[in-house]
Amino acid sequence: MAKIAEQSLQSNGWTDRADELFQQHRQEIYRNTDQLFARLMLFQWVAAIMIAMIISPRTWVGQSSYIHIHIWAAIFMGGAISVFPIWMTRAWPGAALTRHIIAVAQMLMSVLLIDLTGGRIETHFHVFGSLVILSFYRDWRVLIPATIVVYLDHFLRGIYWPYSVYGVLSASPWRSVEHAGWVIFEDIFLVISCLRSIREMRFVANRTAALESSEQNFRQIFEEAPIGMAVVGLDSRYAQVNASLCNMVGYSEEELTSRTPSEITHRDDIDKDKQLTQRLLSETTRTCVEKRYVRKDGEIIWATRTACLMRDESGKPRHYLAMVEDITQRKKDAVALEEAKNEAERANRAKDDFLAALSHELRTPLTPVLMSAAALEQEPGIEPELRRQFGMMRRNVELEARLIDDLLDLTRVSRGKLQLLFSGPVDVHSLLAHSEQIVHSDARNKSLVLRLELTANEHHVAGDAARINQVFWNLLKNAIKFTPAGGQITVRTANPTPGQLVLTVSDNGIGIDQQTLPFVFRAFEQGDIRGLQPCSGLGLGLSISKAIVELHGGTIRVESAGPGLGAVFTVELSTVLPFPEAQIQASRPRRFTGKSYRLLVVEDHEPTLAVLTRLLRDQGHDVMPASTVQDALALASDHTFDFVISDLGLPDGSGIDLMMQLSNDYGLRGIALTGYGMAEDLAKTERAGFLAHLVKPINVDQLHRVLERAQVAAG
Amino acid sequence: MQPRRTKTLFVTALLGLAWTVGIAFGLRTLLAYESTPGTIGAVPRQWPSTSQIERLTNRPTLVMLVHPRCPCTRASVAELAQLMARMQGKVDAYVLFLKPRQSGVEWEDTELRRSAAGIPSVTVLSDIDGVEARQFGAETSGHTLLFDRDGRLLFSGGITEFRGHVGDNTGVRSIESLVNGRTPARTATSVFGCALVKRSQEGDKPGWLK
């Protein structure tokens, strides 16, 4: 363990400090043991005198007595032995020489005591006890002079006065070796003990150095933390604060540590602050609060204060630790961001309003044209060529309307509000045929060969037929647009795996370079994609198509071998089982054969109103036109209607208000017919009580279908 | 700072030297004192006829003359105790404690006398004014004499080899040999103890004070 700790220390460069601590500790032990021996020497000196006074106080000559030599020996020799080492502990405390002299003196004291007690064997234990006390130095080297003194004492006495030490008349020289051997026997264990103590001291020094370093790190972290930190005592006074907190609140460390947090807290936050402090004591271990501080200069700052209660080992609360982060700038930024967001939303609403108005204004003139063309196209008994011309008119108006729709759709896509109207299984082949019919004339005009190779057996998907049709139409238009005259466009369907429909629209047109491919499905990228002069259209079709396909759970991608090598657009969708009645027959002209209604048509665009009125009357409905709110209300008061078909933007009011009033006064239900097609507009008409919301331009078929659904909905 | 340190070093060296010399001298003096024997008077070859002590005729008689207050004689009495234990009744002993005539009871009331009285086969007697000591030629406490059943002196001397130190010694070994009928290593040894009497020509101080 000590080794691991040491390695760790070395890796962290703390060995110098560990050495310093070790040396300090060792020096402290040396000095303390010096003092111990200084006191022991005095004690032994006094003890020697006492022993001499007890055992041999006087010597006698007949009836006369004199102080025994042992008394003088105890006083003078004991003093001589003791005084010099005591002086050394004062003059050279902790020095190696001091403890070595003490070791010699201690052994000499043993010699004296043994002599004073007449060589009693019990007194010899003083030698062994002294060695143990010398080992308090934890320096095994001091045992060396002590052992030498013992050996020399025994050796010399053994030669000259063997009886004084061994109690025999003559002693073998080896007797002193034997005596020294026992001393060395003890020395061995004392040396082992000293070495172990040194290892433990070094380990403790290493640990202490590590702890100091760790503590220093933590103190440095506290002092130099970029956020404010404080230790708050249980008396609610700051006990310790760091520089960041001082800078934050503008007080010096001295000023702050003489205050309580409440004194620098905004008065409106003081109660909350105290409640949280109480919670720390009773309930929770951590609190986090946004609060205001009052700086020394009076400025109010916002801060996030996270606090926790620190406890001691027994779980008793010790103090609080608080971390304070200045969030004033963040608060200001948040306000600024909120304002910017509001401004952006206002601008967005203005944009939406503009788009809605633009859509309305663009759609409205198209309505009578589309309705007339559509009605005439379906008029029985007209020449086929004429029917085709009307059809062409209808399709172009629809194309115009689609461009407007694209603009609105893009807005919906960007806001995630593009919604699908799932109408059951949709026949992709039928939709492709319909789309082909729409673009047929365009292809023919450019002398393009447009081929359909619809080989998929499973060609029904779940989705919004109109939106899927929009995708196909966009892909075909795109192919026609970027394929030079005489080119070829092929539409294929296949089922590579059961349940999967793959549709490809391939052309041998101008192709797409590799750098441009990733941007094909981005809005407004059309002009740059093909590297040509801007073509007709707004460049929104592919972007909207991608959103529609993905809303259907499918994928759309484009591949091109490069410029001049054509492009292949691939759409993958999941198939569903078909319902025979769900077959789309969009291309087949049909006539409305349902019941007739009494209709109040409100439209301020005179051409639209006229065409709509005529067409609806042609269908057998009882129609009463109105161009203002007041007219409409007047008619409603005089007549009974099944439905009201109303524009929203009217000269003297809103179609919304009109609908609400008619609904309230006469229980009338209605269909909104407007150029406003944004999501908000649809929501408004729904809230006003409209059963359906038709966006201009419309054709009569759409209106009929809506009337049928409205009748069902109205009961 | 440096001169002060130098001065301290110098003082340390001087003190160290003095310390070494002083301790060596002290030890030498102490050991010299402890190894210096006391005096011996004119020891009779026969049991003194004027002695008031009754000599045994059926076994050897041991006589030890003791100063009751001599600390060094503790070792002699201790050796006597061991000797008598080993003799197992082969010898009887008298321990005569010096007692000045004018002294009170407290003079003899010592631990030393009580120790001697506790030794088996030992008779403790008072030697008024050292009359018996003079007859036996004893001048130093611890002086021990052994007489045979006919009153002939067999041994005279101390039964410690060092002042106040117990342990194996020539005196004890010689007495044991004599009692057991063997030839002793010596028949006379040095005596270590306090002086029993003043010797006017040497003054009245112990040897180490002269």
Side-chain angles (χ1 to χ4, degrees):
Chain A
M1 186 167 65
K3 194 172 181 181
I4 294 170
E6 197 164 324
Q7 287 172 348
S8 173
L9 289 173
Q10 283 170 351
S11 66
N12 289 287
W14 300 333
T15 47
D16 290 347
R17 177 57 183 155
D19 281 344
E20 185 183 348
L21 285 170
F22 172 73
Q23 295 298 345
Q24 281 177 0
H25 188 192
R26 194 155 70 168
Q27 193 59 219
E28 187 183 338
I29 287 172
Y30 290 158
R31 287 168 181 262
N32 288 342
T33 312
D34 281 348
Q35 295 308 311
L36 171 70
F37 270 104
R39 290 190 291 272
L40 182 63
M41 286 287 170
L42 274 176
F43 171 76
Q44 290 176 144
W45 186 11
V46 174
I49 295 170
M50 298 293 288
I51 287 169
M53 289 175 71
I54 292 168
I55 295 177
S56 48
R58 303 183 75 78
T59 187
W60 290 80
V61 176
Q63 295 178 51
S64 304
S65 68
Y66 306 90
I67 292 174
H68 197 284
I69 188 174
H70 281 176
I71 298 289
W72 300 118
I75 291 171
F76 293 109
M77 276 200 64
I81 291 170
S82 303
V83 168
F84 180 53
I86 290 172
W87 182 83
M88 287 294 288
T89 62
R90 296 285 184 273
W92 304 97
L97 182 63
T98 300
R99 55 183 176 276
H100 285 281
I101 286 175
I102 283 173
V104 171
Q106 185 63 20
M107 291 301 110
L108 290 173
M109 188 59 83
S110 293
V111 170
L112 178 64
L113 290 173
I114 289 168
D115 200 88
L116 293 179
T117 57
R120 288 169 63 86
I121 192 69
E122 290 86 346
T123 317
H124 283 74
F125 288 112
H126 186 270
V127 173
F128 298 103
S130 296
L131 290 172
V132 171
I133 301 172
L134 285 171
S135 73
F136 287 7
Y137 277 114
R138 306 190 193 185
D139 178 7
W140 60 271
R141 294 171 188 84
V142 299
L143 300 173
I144 295 174
T147 304
I148 290 173
V149 169
V150 171
Y151 176 76
L152 283 179
D153 176 54
H154 284 67
F155 178 74
L156 294 174
R157 285 190 193 219
I159 292 173
Y160 298 108
W161 305 282
Y163 199 84
S164 70
V165 61
Y166 301 129
V168 296
L169 297 174
S170 63
S172 160
W174 292 106
R175 191 77 183 269
S176 60
V177 176
E178 180 192 348
H179 274 237
W182 285 110
V183 172
I184 290 170
F185 176 74
E186 183 184 4
D187 285 346
I188 290 170
F189 295 99
L190 293 176
V191 167
I192 291 171
S193 173
C194 287
L195 293 176
R196 283 185 177 175
S197 294
I198 292 295
R199 276 203 300 273
E200 286 171 7
M201 284 167 59
R202 192 167 285 284
F203 178 67
V204 168
N206 290 345
R207 290 283 300 273
T208 306
L211 282 172
E212 276 186 1
S213 178
S214 175
E215 186 185 342
Q216 190 177 0
N217 282 342
F218 278 110
R219 190 181 297 123
Q220 194 172 5
I221 288 168
F222 181 87
E223 291 295 338
E224 299 178 11
I227 63 169
M229 293 185 77
V231 174
V232 182
L234 294 177
D235 60 352
S236 295
R237 289 200 170 276
Y238 283 116
Q240 203 176 348
V241 293
N242 72 350
S244 293
L245 185 62
C246 292
N247 292 336
M248 202 183 297
V249 296
Y251 288 96
S252 68
E253 186 177 345
E254 290 73 23
E255 290 171 331
L256 213 49
T257 48
S258 64
R259 284 172 165 76
T260 65
S262 294
E263 289 176 60
I264 60 167
T265 297
H266 191 278
R267 62 175 180 274
D268 293 343
D269 293 340
I270 289 176
D271 289 343
K272 181 173 63 176
D273 211 26
K274 288 181 176 174
Q275 287 169 8
L276 287 171
T277 304
Q278 282 302 314
R279 279 186 60 199
L280 274 178
L281 280 170
S282 56
E283 299 172 26
T284 185
T285 55
R286 184 177 299 174
T287 61
C288 187
V289 63
E290 283 189 1
K291 59 177 284 190
R292 285 162 288 181
Y293 287 96
V294 182
R295 282 174 52 86
K296 187 179 180 182
D297 58 12
E299 184 189 349
I300 294 170
I301 60 168
W302 275 96
T304 301
R305 202 256 346 251
T306 305
C308 60
L309 181 64
M310 309 300 286
R311 297 175 184 274
D312 60 18
E313 294 79 2
S314 63
K316 189 177 173 185
R318 196 167 54 184
H319 54 245
Y320 303 99
L321 178 65
M323 283 160 284
V324 184
E325 185 181 8
D326 187 348
I327 59 167
T328 307
Q329 190 57 45
R330 197 191 304 167
K331 281 275 183 185
K332 288 178 182 173
D333 291 346
V335 170
L337 186 65
E338 185 65 24
E339 287 175 353
K341 183 185 171 192
N342 292 337
E343 182 62 31
E345 285 178 348
R346 277 197 295 276
N348 206 35
R349 279 197 296 276
K351 182 200 74 176
D352 289 348
D353 293 343
F354 170 74
L355 284 175
L358 179 66
S359 168
H360 177 265
E361 294 306 319
L362 291 174
R363 284 167 188 276
T364 301
L366 296 177
T367 303
V369 178
L370 177 61
M371 295 184 75
S372 296
L376 289 170
E377 186 187 7
Q378 294 175 18
E379 193 68 29
I382 64 169
E383 291 294 322
E385 180 57 27
L386 201 54
R387 187 186 304 278
R388 197 164 53 250
Q389 292 298 325
F390 282 131
M392 181 270 294
M393 287 173 61
R394 175 182 58 79
R395 285 193 296 275
N396 278 285
V397 172
E398 285 175 345
L399 173 62
E400 192 67 29
R402 175 55 59 190
L403 290 172
I404 297 167
D405 285 343
D406 281 354
L407 275 174
L408 296 178
D409 285 347
L410 182 71
T411 305
R412 293 189 185 108
V413 167
S414 67
R415 296 167 67 179
K417 291 186 175 177
L418 184 66
Q419 292 180 336
L420 300 180
L421 182 61
F422 284 85
S423 54
V426 176
D427 185 350
V428 170
H429 286 180
S430 295
L431 291 179
L432 284 170
H434 182 218
S435 298
E436 189 272 340
Q437 191 180 20
I438 293 172
V439 302
H440 184 79
S441 60
D442 293 339
R444 188 180 58 198
N445 292 340
K446 286 185 74 175
S447 302
L448 298 174
V449 176
L450 178 56
R451 288 194 314 194
L452 299 183
E453 297 177 7
L454 308 180
T455 59
N457 293 322
E458 299 174 26
H459 47 85
H460 287 82
V461 299
D464 184 331
R467 290 295 184 186
I468 293 174
N469 201 28
Q470 186 181 347
V471 173
F472 297 159
W473 187 24
N474 280 331
L475 292 178
L476 288 172
K477 277 195 307 174
N478 193 63
I480 291 168
K481 194 186 300 178
F482 294 106
T483 302
Q488 182 173 315
I489 298 167
T490 306
V491 180
R492 296 184 180 89
T493 63
N495 299 115
T497 59
Q500 183 190 26
L501 175 67
V502 174
L503 163 75
T504 58
V505 178
S506 56
D507 63 63
N508 59 355
I510 61 174
I512 309 169
D513 62 59
Q514 294 301 311
Q515 288 75 25
T516 310
L517 274 175
F519 307 106
V520 165
F521 292 105
R522 284 192 184 176
F524 307 112
E525 296 275 358
Q526 167 187 269
D528 297 331
I529 291 172
R530 303 278 178 136
L532 297 173
Q533 291 298 319
C535 299
S536 59
L538 302 175
L540 306 178
L542 290 178
S543 176
I544 294 167
S545 296
K546 184 173 188 292
I548 291 171
V549 170
E550 288 176 350
L551 277 172
H552 280 84
T555 60
I556 184 169
R557 64 179 183 274
V558 60
E559 294 159 302
S560 175
L565 299 175
V568 179
F569 285 81
T570 305
V571 175
E572 292 183 6
L573 293 166
S574 298
T575 60
V576 296
L577 290 174
F579 295 134
E581 63 274 19
Q583 297 294 321
I584 300 290
Q585 298 179 357
S587 63
R588 188 178 64 211
R590 60 176 187 172
R591 288 190 63 81
F592 174 67
T593 55
K595 65 180 289 188
S596 62
Y597 301 106
R598 288 163 296 178
L599 302 174
L600 171 60
V601 177
V602 187
E603 169 63 62
D604 65 334
H605 190 248
E606 285 302 331
T608 301
L609 180 62
V611 169
L612 189 58
T613 303
R614 181 172 58 79
L615 290 175
L616 287 170
R617 281 175 177 163
D618 288 349
Q619 298 294 335
H621 301 294
D622 183 5
V623 181
M624 300 202 76
S627 57
T628 64
V629 173
Q630 289 305 320
D631 290 349
L633 290 173
L635 287 171
S637 65
D638 297 337
H639 301 84
T640 302
F641 296 101
D642 297 314
F643 295 105
V644 59
I645 299 171
S646 175
D647 191 7
L648 296 185
L650 297 170
D652 56 347
S654 159
I656 300 287
D657 297 333
L658 173 63
M659 184 67 246
M660 291 172 74
Q661 192 168 348
L662 292 175
S663 177
N664 287 335
D665 295 349
Y666 310 108
L668 195 57
R669 312 301 299 274
I671 296 166
L673 178 61
T674 174
Y676 296 103
M678 305 293 282
E680 294 80 3
D681 303 326
L682 269 67
K684 280 182 192 171
T685 55
E686 187 178 358
R687 283 197 298 272
F690 284 106
L691 293 170
H693 183 121
L694 293 175
V695 181
K696 295 173 182 177
I698 60 164
N699 59 42
V700 181
D701 277 350
Q702 279 179 284
L703 192 53
H704 287 160
R705 284 197 294 275
V706 171
L707 278 171
E708 286 173 352
R709 286 207 298 270
Q711 177 59 28
V712 172
Chain B
M1 196 67 189
Q2 194 62 28
R4 185 177 177 183
R5 184 179 172 84
T6 307
K7 184 181 176 183
T8 309
L9 267 173
F10 180 71
V11 172
T12 302
L14 271 183
L15 281 174
L17 183 64
W19 183 64
T20 307
V21 171
I23 289 171
F25 174 76
L27 279 175
R28 173 70 184 82
T29 303
L30 191 60
L31 290 171
Y33 163 72
E34 289 173 347
S35 59
T36 302
T39 59
I40 296 173
V43 179
R45 291 190 176 277
Q46 284 286 331
W47 184 274
S49 55
T50 55
S51 174
Q52 299 297 312
I53 301 167
E54 184 181 356
R55 177 178 60 80
L56 300 175
T57 56
N58 58 345
R59 67 186 77 172
T61 304
L62 191 75
V63 178
M64 176 183 279
L65 294 117
V66 173
H67 192 298
R69 295 180 174 272
C70 176
C72 312
T73 311
R74 288 197 195 97
S76 300
V77 172
E79 288 296 330
L80 176 65
Q82 291 191 25
L83 174 66
M84 294 305 290
R86 287 197 293 273
M87 289 296 95
Q88 295 179 332
K90 294 178 185 173
V91 64
D92 278 3
Y94 292 99
V95 178
L96 306 178
F97 282 87
L98 175 67
K99 183 177 185 304
R101 186 175 301 279
Q102 69 276 17
S103 65
V105 180
E106 72 284 354
W107 172 262
E108 291 183 309
D109 184 20
T110 62
E111 182 62 34
L112 193 62
R113 180 165 179 137
R114 284 190 289 275
S115 298
I119 302 171
S121 304
V122 169
T123 302
V124 174
L125 297 170
S126 296
D127 178 17
I128 306 301
D129 287 338
V131 173
E132 295 294 339
R134 280 193 293 277
Q135 293 187 72
F136 284 102
E139 294 182 350
T140 302
S141 179
H143 193 154
T144 305
L145 303 98
L146 178 68
F147 294 89
D148 65 9
R149 64 188 66 180
D150 299 323
R152 285 194 298 258
L153 179 68
L154 297 177
F155 173 81
S156 169
I159 55 173
T160 63
E161 207 71 35
F162 212 67
R163 188 180 295 274
H165 285 254
V166 295
D168 180 33
N169 63 86
T170 309
V172 168
R173 274 191 274 156
S174 297
I175 291 169
E176 281 186 289
S177 298
L178 289 165
V179 171
N180 292 321
R182 297 194 301 270
T183 304
R186 296 174 65 180
T187 56
T189 57
S190 298
V191 183
F192 296 91
C194 302
L196 288 170
V197 293
K198 279 184 187 173
R199 297 179 64 181
S200 57
Q201 69 269 28
E202 293 181 2
D204 57 357
K205 291 182 180 178
W208 62 273
L209 285 175
K210 292 171 186 169

